[in-house]
Amino acid sequence: MPTTFKKPTTKEQTTAKQSVTALREITSATKQGPTMMIRVEGKSLSVPTKAVKLLEKVLDQMALGNSVQVTSIETELTTQQAADLLNVSRPHLVKLLDTGKIPFRKVGSHRKVSLKDLQKYEADLKEIRRKGLDFLVKEAQEMGLGY
C-alpha cells in the first residue's frame, strides 16, 4: 500500500534541504556497510544503508517542494500493480499477458506477474527502442540531415 506525503510546506522544504545536506555529509564521510548506526536523543539504532539512501532521496524531493510517494513492491504483482509499474493501462497489460509477451500465472481467476519477468520485458523493450533509434540516427546521418 503506497504512502503519500503531500506537497511540503515552505518550512518543511527548508528543513528537508538542511537535513539532506547534513545526511549527505554523513554518508559521504562514513564507510558504507550494510547498516549504519544512527543516534537520536541518546538512543542508538542500526538502520540498513539502503533505508538511509531512500531517506536521502525523500528529503531531496521534499527540499524541491515535491510530493513523495513510497510504495513497496512484492515479487509477484497483480495486473494493476504491474500496469502501474510499466505506466500502462491494465487492459493493455492484460493484452501483453494474453499474447505471451509477459509470462504470468493464474491463481484462481486472477493473473499474477513476476516482478523479474516484468523487469525483463521492460529491459527488452528499452533495447528494441534503442536499436530503432540507432537505426534512425544512422539513416539520418547517411542522408545528410544534420544529426
Side-chain angles (χ1 to χ4, degrees):
M1 187 75 157
T3 301
T4 303
F5 300 97
K6 304 241 185 281
K7 184 176 172 75
T9 64
T10 305
K11 184 176 180 182
E12 289 171 330
Q13 280 181 260
T14 302
T15 303
K17 195 176 291 187
Q18 293 167 346
S19 299
V20 77
T21 300
L23 188 58
R24 281 195 181 118
E25 287 175 12
I26 293 166
T27 57
S28 66
T30 307
K31 184 179 177 207
Q32 300 291 314
T35 61
M36 295 181 75
M37 289 299 294
I38 296 179
R39 188 168 177 83
V40 179
E41 296 179 2
K43 295 184 179 183
S44 296
L45 67 145
S46 180
V47 178
T49 301
K50 288 180 181 180
V52 175
K53 291 294 187 182
L54 178 62
L55 176 60
E56 188 178 303
K57 289 180 181 190
V58 169
L59 289 170
D60 197 33
Q61 290 303 308
M62 287 181 71
L64 294 171
N66 296 328
S67 297
V68 176
Q69 184 177 53
V70 178
T71 191
S72 61
I73 301 173
E74 299 92 32
T75 56
E76 196 168 63
L77 308 166
T78 66
T79 53
Q80 187 60 61
Q81 291 170 323
D84 290 345
L85 273 177
L86 289 179
N87 202 24
V88 298
S89 69
R90 188 185 159 284
H92 179 71
L93 179 88
V94 169
K95 285 179 189 174
L96 293 172
L97 299 177
D98 290 343
T99 58
K101 293 186 178 174
I102 301 173
F104 69 97
R105 72 181 186 99
K106 280 244 181 168
V107 178
S109 62
H110 301 281
R111 295 172 184 89
K112 295 290 184 175
V113 182
S114 159
L115 178 60
K116 193 165 105 176
D117 290 334
L118 200 63
Q119 290 170 328
K120 182 181 179 330
Y121 170 79
E122 193 170 31
D124 291 348
L125 190 59
K126 283 181 182 178
E127 180 63 19
I128 290 167
R129 288 176 178 162
R130 188 193 60 75
K131 285 180 180 178
L133 286 173
D134 288 348
F135 174 77
L136 290 174
V137 167
K138 183 181 172 196
E139 289 290 309
Q141 287 174 341
E142 288 175 1
M143 296 171 79
L145 296 177
Y147 292 104

